[in-house]
Amino acid sequence: MGIEQKAGDLGLVTTTLEQAVNWARTSSMWPMLFGLACCAIEMMAAQASSYDMSRFGMELMRASPRQSDLMIVAGRVSRKMAPVLRNLYDQMPSPKWVIAMGDCAACGGVFNNYAVVQGVDEIVPVDVYVAGCPPRPEGLIHGIVTLHEKVKKEQIKDWA
Amino acid sequence: MTEIREVSFEEFKHLVSDRAIKGDTMLLNMGPQHPSTHGVLRLLLELDGEIVVNCIPDIGFLHTGIEKNMETKTYQKAEVMTDRLDYLNPIGNNLAYCLAVEKLCDLDVPPRAQVIRVLLAELTRMASHLIWLGTSALDLGAMSVFLYTMREREMLLDIFELCSGQRMMTTYVRPGGLWRDVPVEFVPAVEQFLKIIPAKINEYESLLHDNPLFIERTRGIGVIKADECIQWGVTGPILRAGGMAYDLRKARPYSGYEQFDFDIPTRQEGDVYARYEIRMAELRESSKIVRQALDKLPGGEIRSNNRKFIPPPRSEIGTSMEALIHHFKLWTEGFTPPVGSVYVATESPRGELGVFLESDGTPKPHRVHYHTPSFANLQIMPLLTRGHFIADVVGIIASIDIILGDADR
Amino acid sequence: MKIPFETLTKNLFDEFGATPQEFRGEVSYLIPAETLVALVTRLRDVYGFNMLIDITAVDYWPKIAPRFHMVYHFLDMSSNQIACIRVPIDGQASSLSSISGVYINATWYEREIWDMFGLRFDGNPDMRRILMPHDWEGYPLRKDYPLGYEEVEYSFNFSEIDLKKLHGKE
């Protein structure tokens, strides 16, 4: 659809364009500050000096959803917080990605009860799940690198 | 569940002043997702221009149902959930729960385990104060302090990982003692940490203590004195900054704290700057306690031998029939304490952390209730923010040092 | 002031009919619900218990009378004594007078008990839910409220559970 229909299969032009755009997106993907609970502390540790996330392009964390590309849901999402989460996801401009960090965001974690949403993928579509309670900063960085590889495989027909 | 519900104004009309209803003042939502609220805290601010007239905290965005969930698990399994309450002080939460279980079941704790518990509790207090310092300075604009304190905290997390295998949620303190003995590398690692930390604390102080910007933003802001603290049930550094020298480690000592020699820092002003000074002084006192604990570390066992409550070591299971039977009973059914209720309180970095544990003779607790300091301390938010600017609200929240996992449970 | 527990016990028994129970060195007093505010005022003014530490409740369902026990802890900071007061309440008559006139920090604790157990307090200036969303139905910490857990998914029941799971859309 879109460019491919109008221009036909241009081959070399579209693949170079894909590579350029994907390279630009992965090299400076800015996460949104969405630390909820204990995983937020490990996310802060990953951002700090020992395990530096700015090496991977995430120089700063924007608090405003209008200015960020990536939402790292770090921590347990309670029933009261769920509409807020969906609202923030809707406010992010596309292209946007979601990483579910930690066991509670991935599947509800230790807490299988009335108050915790069992996995944040009930509310938003998730791209990468990072397991751990809380995951080590290296684990989060591995999740981010996996997301970068996933983005690099995106093709023009997904976003044009 | 995924729709936004419009909250009608009728529901909290009784909390805001008449000027808001007339339209004189503005109601601003400092929402659950905010860079400076230290978690998911929602504050409804009633503003007259930039000055806060009233502030209504709205908590519950991190409510996890831990108390109800612990009622459906046995005492051993329920301990895993206690780490995640006040997630900057996981060993302190474990310690409070284990002290309550030990009081309920009348278990003895060997002296080596008590000293190591004190050591780890003080190291956790230092880790919590380091993160508090980093994030408060970050909120008030000093970003380099955050990077320095996280670097020191990594050394502490390495020490916790040495003992238990996990950086944060260790569940290392178990009823009757500890999970297993500390490894050989533990003592040199703690020594190494103690060697460098006094210089680092001086370095953080030199960045903030006489900094005119920091002083402008914190002196005279958010004042609460000791008698109001007692009325509102506030404990911890806020009470000590208001002038009263009350520390649970000295008032109702637990786990052998009476053998250690440390001071209780106090200030008289009760503002944000006083709380900052108190927590820096507490960092130094904690390193003193860790030094004493390391010097007097006795040998001996690490866990009580009462096999009705404590599982036997794995090596015995192959050779002893009783050990196998005890292991089987404890893992399938759990232990049964007598009927009754206890209340045990410890001093967490935020204030009084108390556990009310009631048992009804079954292997699962009948009621576990945590009296958490963040829930008690958040009640004074309207009092502290009245008459200040919005920018001061950020500093005040940082100085109360709330953790929303603690407040919402 | 440092008052020995025997004197306190005797005084409370004579004036308010408080029966003491002792367990592991801690004494708790069972009192009838009508005497609560008067006793609490005496504790604060005469016996010097100047801080309210905590209010909580225990549910004894399926026992109906009394179904709940309200548990109050008070602290005397000068002598580090804790007084524990237990008030039995029936399942039907679930209303109690608030002590927020005596101890001002009781407001939030009583809100939490209203939220979790459904016990109303007359005289509390702010009776709203505190931890659950405003429109939540039910009182979670009661024993007849289910835990609300999700069925664990194994390979043999994967297809039934997976079909019913919600998934977030774009």
Side-chain angles (χ1 to χ4, degrees), chain A residues 1-8 14 155-160:
Chain A
M1 55 173 265
I3 295 187
E4 279 201 340
Q5 274 181 348
K6 293 208 176 105
T14 49
Q155 295 180 329
I156 203 166
K157 57 183 185 318
D158 298 325
W159 44 261

Side-chain angles (χ1 to χ4, degrees), chain C residues 65-133:
Chain C
R67 178 170 175 184
F68 298 105
H69 264 214
M70 293 286 301
V71 184
Y72 295 79
H73 288 280
F74 301 98
L75 172 67
D76 178 2
M77 294 184 92
S78 47
S79 63
N80 292 316
Q81 280 184 333
I82 294 190
C84 173
I85 310 283
R86 293 180 84 115
V87 184
I89 311 182
D90 280 337
Q92 273 72 38
S94 333
S95 166
L96 198 63
S97 39
S98 159
I99 63 169
S100 50
V102 187
Y103 289 98
I104 196 169
N105 58 337
T107 330
W108 274 29
Y109 298 124
E110 291 174 351
R111 273 179 77 184
E112 191 198 342
I113 296 196
W114 158 242
D115 194 3
M116 293 283 127
F117 288 95
L119 301 171
R120 278 214 95 91
F121 290 88
D122 306 319
N124 189 316
D126 191 9
M127 202 85 248
R128 294 177 296 149
R129 283 194 181 263
I130 190 170
L131 293 177
M132 303 305 293

Side-chain angles (χ1 to χ4, degrees), chain A residues 6-98:
Chain A
K6 293 208 176 105
D9 182 22
L10 289 182
L12 187 62
V13 176
T14 49
T15 47
T16 318
L17 184 60
E18 273 169 20
Q19 279 180 348
V21 168
N22 288 339
W23 168 82
R25 282 181 179 166
T26 58
S27 309
S28 85
M29 203 185 263
W30 285 357
M32 184 172 78
L33 256 182
F34 207 72
L36 296 164
C38 351
C39 283
I41 312 292
E42 291 290 48
M43 188 166 69
M44 279 167 19
Q47 185 77 29
S49 35
S50 300
Y51 309 91
D52 189 10
M53 277 215 297
S54 1
R55 299 181 273 168
F56 302 98
M58 314 204 162
E59 173 61 39
L60 35 73
M61 296 197 160
R62 282 291 180 210
S64 160
R66 305 271 186 208
Q67 295 168 9
S68 55
D69 309 298
L70 169 67
M71 184 158 84
I72 306 183
V73 185
R76 44 198 190 246
V77 180
S78 75
R79 298 259 170 228
K80 201 169 175 182
M81 190 69 191
V84 179
L85 178 73
R86 180 74 213 182
N87 210 9
L88 287 166
Y89 179 76
D90 291 334
Q91 284 176 350
M92 281 167 72
S94 50
K96 53 191 171 184
W97 297 277
V98 175

Side-chain angles (χ1 to χ4, degrees), chain C residues 2 7 26 28 32 47 50 56-57 91 98 104 143 160:
Chain C
K2 177 101 182 142
T7 327
E26 291 180 10
S28 46
Y47 299 118
N50 47 4
T56 183
S98 159
I104 196 169
K143 291 282 181 184
E160 295 121 41

Side-chain angles (χ1 to χ4, degrees), chain B residues 1 5 7 11-12 14-15 42 56-61 63 65 67-69 71-72 102-106 229-235 239 244 246 250-252 338-345 352 354 356 358 365-367 369-372 374-376 378-379 407-409, chain C residues 23-26 28 50-61 69 71 73 75-82 84 86 102-109 111-112 115-117 125-136 139-148 166:
Chain B
M1 180 230 308
R5 179 178 160 269
V7 179
E11 286 180 359
F12 49 85
H14 59 289
L15 295 168
R42 177 167 168 249
I56 304 165
D58 187 11
I59 62 177
F61 289 94
H63 178 64
E67 293 181 356
K68 188 161 179 93
N69 215 341
E71 289 173 15
T72 56
E102 282 155 16
K103 191 168 181 187
L104 191 65
C105 308
D106 205 13
C229 283
I230 297 178
Q231 270 184 358
W232 284 92
V234 168
T235 52
L239 178 63
M244 182 158 180
Y246 187 77
K250 290 252 196 230
R252 286 177 269 155
V339 177
S341 69
V342 292
Y343 177 78
V344 173
E352 171 171 343
F356 171 76
E358 168 144 350
H366 184 77
R367 174 89 172 106
H369 176 72
Y370 267 84
H371 165 73
T372 50
S374 301
F375 189 79
L378 257 185
Q379 290 195 62
D408 294 342
R409 280 166 266 129
Chain C
F23 180 72
R24 297 274 185 256
E26 291 180 10
S28 46
N50 47 4
M51 189 192 273
L52 166 70
I53 296 182
D54 203 9
I55 309 181
T56 183
V58 189
D59 184 2
Y60 289 106
W61 189 81
H69 264 214
V71 184
H73 288 280
L75 172 67
D76 178 2
M77 294 184 92
S78 47
S79 63
N80 292 316
Q81 280 184 333
I82 294 190
C84 173
R86 293 180 84 115
V102 187
Y103 289 98
I104 196 169
N105 58 337
T107 330
W108 274 29
Y109 298 124
R111 273 179 77 184
E112 191 198 342
D115 194 3
M116 293 283 127
F117 288 95
D126 191 9
M127 202 85 248
R128 294 177 296 149
R129 283 194 181 263
I130 190 170
L131 293 177
M132 303 305 293
H134 326 269
D135 50 353
W136 194 263
Y139 304 106
L141 272 174
R142 289 193 171 188
K143 291 282 181 184
D144 49 353
Y145 190 90
L147 182 62
L166 295 168

Side-chain angles (χ1 to χ4, degrees), chain A residues 33-34 36 38 41-42 48-51 63 76 78-81 83 110-111 113-116 133 136-137, chain B residues 1 4 33 35 40 58-66 69 81 84 87 131 147 150 154 161 166-167 169:
Chain A
L33 256 182
F34 207 72
L36 296 164
C38 351
I41 312 292
E42 291 290 48
S49 35
S50 300
Y51 309 91
R76 44 198 190 246
S78 75
R79 298 259 170 228
K80 201 169 175 182
M81 190 69 191
V110 201
F111 308 108
N113 56 24
Y114 62 93
V116 171
C133 189
R136 289 188 65 112
Chain B
M1 180 230 308
I4 309 278
Q33 192 259 354
V40 277
D58 187 11
I59 62 177
F61 289 94
L62 203 56
H63 178 64
T64 327
I66 289 184
N69 215 341
M81 307 197 128
R84 283 134 181 106
Y87 37 84
I131 277 224
L147 295 172
M150 297 300 269
E154 290 294 325
E161 195 178 358
Q166 245 270 29
R167 278 157 59 103
M169 313 297 168

